[in-house]
Amino acid sequence: MKQLLTILKYALLLALSGVLMWYAVRGQDLSRIGHYIVTANYFWLGITMVLSVLGYFSRAYRWQMQLTASRHKVPYWNVYHAMMVGYLANIVLPRMGEVIRCSVLRRTSGVPVEVSLGTVITERVIDVLVLLLLLGSVMLLEFNKFWAFLQSLFADKYDSLAANRTTLLALAGIAVLLLVVFGYLLFRNLEKLRQYTLFTKVVGFVKGLLAGVFSVRKLENKGLFLLHTAFTWLVYYLMDYLTFRCFPETYGLDAKAGLAVLTFGAFGMAAPVQGGIGVFHVMVQSTLLVYGISKEAGIAYALVVHGAQTILVVFMGGISFIASAIKSGKMAKSLASVPAVSLP
């Protein structure tokens, strides 16, 4: 039953992606979209793919720094391959890539899943902070343009929310009250819970998770960590900005437009659907509409950017999957060859 529910969940998410893709292209001239894609200048796209490879290398090195700070020295290529397998998994299983890459790292390097997962959570928190910083920058630089667009887009929904403000506040109050009651009951029954093996295992897992989360505080070179973080996001920005050069309609867009596409496109990629499919395309197309780019050109741009990155992840992730499978097999044989120690 549980497996059936899991399959149903991913099927529904895939269906949602399909609906959003249909929404992005409905009522448009498909031949015109195809013309944009066929006649695009792929020289600039090639440059962005080279930069993407460098970005993945940098991101893997940053993760290795976190693992080292959590007292687990892991060879660089083991870290890189595990990360790329995780990205490959995200294309099929939304948000499961983070868990899968930690599982791969455990099999290839023996790092406990809870520790590596803690470092991944820290990585995601940092990315969210950077994304919020970018969002603030976009709103500061292009406030009037986006405010007018959002007002026209959400005017009716805003009026509906305003009319039901009391209900929303009541629901929020009930949620906070339930959270307080849950915390109180947990505190009161803490000693009883400690008697259960499952609770002890959960506590141990959480401790390992926190060790990974706070590993960033023990980094030997925090400056280098921040440098790799900045470089990763610079690569993301250049991927979007340089791809403007692929199409005549987007060729003249400035750096601020690139920042906007990066920000809202990143929100689309963070959505819990397979590889951000559909959500990313709608977000990017809508952002480009703000800058006067037609829907056909906007969706063509989104398809080319997303398609190129997906192909790259499939290629690099496929190689990493094979390499990790070979490595984990060798590790298993090595552990099996260790003689058992008999106790007196």
Side-chain angles (χ1 to χ4, degrees), residues 3-283:
Q3 186 177 10
L4 179 62
L5 290 174
T6 301
I7 294 173
L8 181 61
K9 180 182 72 173
Y10 289 128
L12 288 173
L13 290 173
L14 184 60
L16 176 61
S17 295
V19 170
L20 289 171
M21 282 298 299
W22 168 81
Y23 175 78
V25 300
R26 67 170 184 155
Q28 297 179 40
D29 187 347
L30 297 182
S31 62
R32 189 179 176 192
I33 295 173
H35 175 74
Y36 279 126
I37 294 174
V38 171
T39 59
N41 183 351
Y42 285 100
F43 169 77
W44 292 103
L45 189 68
I47 293 177
T48 66
M49 294 184 78
V50 172
L51 290 172
S52 297
V53 172
L54 297 177
Y56 288 131
F57 288 161
S58 176
R59 201 170 184 98
Y61 186 79
R62 188 182 72 164
W63 190 25
Q64 184 190 37
M65 292 178 67
Q66 290 178 267
L67 292 167
T68 302
S70 63
R71 299 179 182 178
H72 292 278
K73 292 186 177 181
V74 185
Y76 173 80
W77 289 111
N78 287 8
V79 175
Y80 165 78
H81 290 315
M83 184 190 76
M84 292 308 304
V85 170
Y87 287 157
L88 178 63
N90 273 335
I91 297 176
V92 182
L93 305 172
R95 301 276 64 88
M96 282 300 294
E98 283 73 9
V99 177
I100 290 174
R101 69 164 164 168
C102 294
S103 179
V104 171
L105 197 64
R106 179 185 63 80
R107 291 198 298 269
T108 59
S109 304
V111 180
V113 171
E114 62 269 23
V115 174
S116 57
L117 188 58
T119 61
V120 171
I121 290 174
T122 304
E123 181 182 286
R124 289 290 175 252
V125 169
I126 292 171
D127 287 340
V128 168
L129 292 175
V130 173
L131 191 53
L132 290 176
L133 179 63
L134 292 175
L135 179 62
S137 300
V138 170
M139 291 296 100
L140 183 64
L141 294 170
E142 301 279 61
F143 178 79
N144 292 332
K145 186 173 291 187
F146 276 94
W147 180 246
F149 178 76
L150 291 173
Q151 278 186 317
S152 64
L153 193 63
F154 297 112
D156 295 337
K157 293 182 180 180
Y158 176 79
D159 292 338
S160 177
L161 287 174
N164 295 279
R165 184 177 301 173
T166 303
T167 304
L168 292 174
L169 289 175
L171 290 173
I174 292 172
V176 171
L177 179 61
L178 290 174
L179 187 62
V180 171
V181 171
F182 175 77
Y184 174 74
L185 292 175
L186 182 64
F187 179 77
R188 282 290 302 272
N189 298 280
L190 194 58
E191 291 301 324
K192 293 180 181 179
L193 289 171
R194 284 174 178 167
Q195 298 174 10
Y196 294 96
T197 304
L198 179 61
F199 180 76
T200 304
K201 289 182 178 179
V202 170
V203 171
F205 180 83
V206 172
K207 285 182 178 178
L209 200 66
L210 292 175
V213 169
F214 291 109
S215 63
V216 70
R217 297 171 57 186
K218 302 176 183 177
L219 289 170
E220 293 182 3
N221 194 335
K222 293 182 176 64
L224 185 61
F225 180 84
L226 293 174
L227 181 62
H228 278 283
T229 300
F231 178 76
T232 298
W233 281 93
L234 176 62
V235 167
Y236 291 158
Y237 172 75
L238 290 175
M239 283 162 48
D240 291 329
Y241 179 69
L242 292 179
T243 308
F244 286 162
R245 302 293 186 266
C246 293
F247 304 94
E249 279 205 31
T250 58
Y251 192 92
L253 292 178
D254 60 13
K256 291 185 290 184
L259 188 64
V261 169
L262 165 65
T263 303
F264 293 107
F267 277 111
M269 290 301 296
V273 296
Q274 286 86 342
I277 297 172
V279 185
F280 172 83
H281 299 80
V282 170
M283 294 293 285

